[in-house]
Amino acid sequence: MSISEEFQANIEALPNILQRKYALLRDLDKSLQEIQRQNEQRCEQEIDDMKRGIKSGNITPNSSLLKFSDDALDEQKHAIRIADEKVALAVQAYDLVDAHIQQLDQYLKKFDEDLRRERDTMAASGTSPTLDNNVKAGRSGETSNRGRKKTRLATATAAASASATAAAAAATAANSTSMELDLPVDPNEPTYCFCNQVSYGEMVACDNPDCKIEWFHYGCVGLKEQPKGKWYCSDCVGTQRRRKTR
């Protein structure tokens, strides 16, 4: 089983798991809102009763004696328990997605190591390594880092297609809860492209081996599909033109 197939097999259950968690979050949110509404009505009624009792002289205006009923306090405690359950579910959902992201990072690292090992073996035997059909062949004499870079698109594309269903289901379920989970971005995640953002979606590699950025998001460079032949970013195209005019 290939790396992308192994990751796809592991991620197939993710959408259903997230959908169940978000559905439970939605149910808890409805219950919490109902309890809060009932408690507000009860507390307002009790406050009105206290005011009338003080005016009529039946209740002494002593703040130490004025308090809500046990039923009102129990409702507030119940609301706090439901809120804690919502937080726990949100943390579980985040940890689950984060675990798959870390797993994908490990698969990409293993893929790079296997490819480098294969390339070194082929170089020692004097034969050319066999490249996957969706990976562009690099130029002769490219560095090992450049060779790894050319295979990143094929790996990322395979992983993206495997996680597309998960992302769509998670986004739909998240919207239905009327809640936003503020998920932090890993500060160690490398950034790419003119936008200086992390890797996401489909990306294209600049064929200039000296390109400082190397990888670009399709949308940032106006691409909708994999370019045919060699492709250069606008910075490298400008550099090549200036060299020719000299």
Side-chain angles (χ1 to χ4, degrees), residues 192-240:
Y192 307 91
C193 192
F194 294 127
C195 64
N196 196 32
Q197 297 295 321
V198 298
S199 173
Y200 63 85
E202 293 184 294
M203 301 182 70
V204 62
C206 178
D207 280 289
N208 179 10
D210 299 322
C211 181
K212 296 180 180 180
I213 301 179
E214 298 187 338
W215 279 93
F216 303 84
H217 304 105
Y218 273 21
C220 294
V221 293
L223 291 177
K224 295 183 178 180
E225 59 184 13
Q226 176 70 21
K228 297 179 180 180
K230 295 182 178 180
W231 180 87
Y232 299 91
C233 68
S234 57
D235 286 353
C236 293
V237 170
T239 301
Q240 292 175 351

Side-chain angles (χ1 to χ4, degrees), residues 22 166-176:
Y22 287 129
T172 302
N175 291 336
S176 64

Side-chain angles (χ1 to χ4, degrees), residues 17-165:
I17 296 175
L18 288 177
Q19 193 169 16
R20 286 195 296 270
K21 289 186 179 297
Y22 287 129
L24 182 55
L25 266 174
R26 183 173 59 250
D27 293 339
L28 288 173
D29 192 55
K30 289 181 180 179
S31 299
L32 180 59
Q33 291 179 10
E34 180 63 22
I35 291 175
Q36 288 176 329
R37 184 185 63 80
Q38 293 177 358
N39 187 252
E40 287 175 0
Q41 293 176 350
R42 185 187 299 275
C43 290
E44 289 175 358
Q45 182 63 44
E46 292 183 3
I47 290 174
D48 290 339
D49 293 343
M50 292 177 189
K51 289 179 179 179
R52 284 193 295 269
I54 292 174
K55 287 182 179 180
S56 64
N58 295 329
I59 298 178
T60 304
N62 187 337
S63 58
S64 62
L65 300 177
L66 297 177
K67 63 179 182 178
F68 291 117
S69 65
D70 291 340
D71 290 338
L73 296 176
D74 288 341
E75 286 176 345
Q76 294 170 5
K77 292 177 181 178
H78 190 194
I80 293 174
R81 287 196 296 269
I82 293 178
D84 290 340
E85 288 183 41
K86 289 175 59 181
V87 172
L89 273 174
V91 171
Q92 291 174 14
Y94 169 75
D95 290 342
L96 186 62
V97 174
D98 184 62
H100 281 79
I101 292 174
Q102 294 182 19
Q103 187 181 47
L104 176 59
D105 289 339
Q106 294 174 359
Y107 286 152
L108 290 174
K109 181 179 179 181
K110 183 177 183 298
F111 184 89
D112 285 345
E113 292 174 350
D114 291 344
L115 185 66
R116 183 168 60 252
R117 188 161 45 247
E118 179 185 358
R119 186 169 49 249
D120 293 343
T121 302
M122 293 298 181
S125 61
T127 58
S128 299
T130 302
L131 295 177
D132 198 344
N133 290 333
N134 9 349
V135 180
K136 293 196 298 180
R139 289 174 294 276
S140 59
E142 285 182 335
T143 63
S144 60
N145 179 61
R146 191 65 180 175
R148 290 196 301 275
K149 175 187 160 190
K150 283 300 180 182
T151 63
R152 180 184 173 90
L153 181 58
T155 307
T157 301
S161 63
S163 58
T165 305

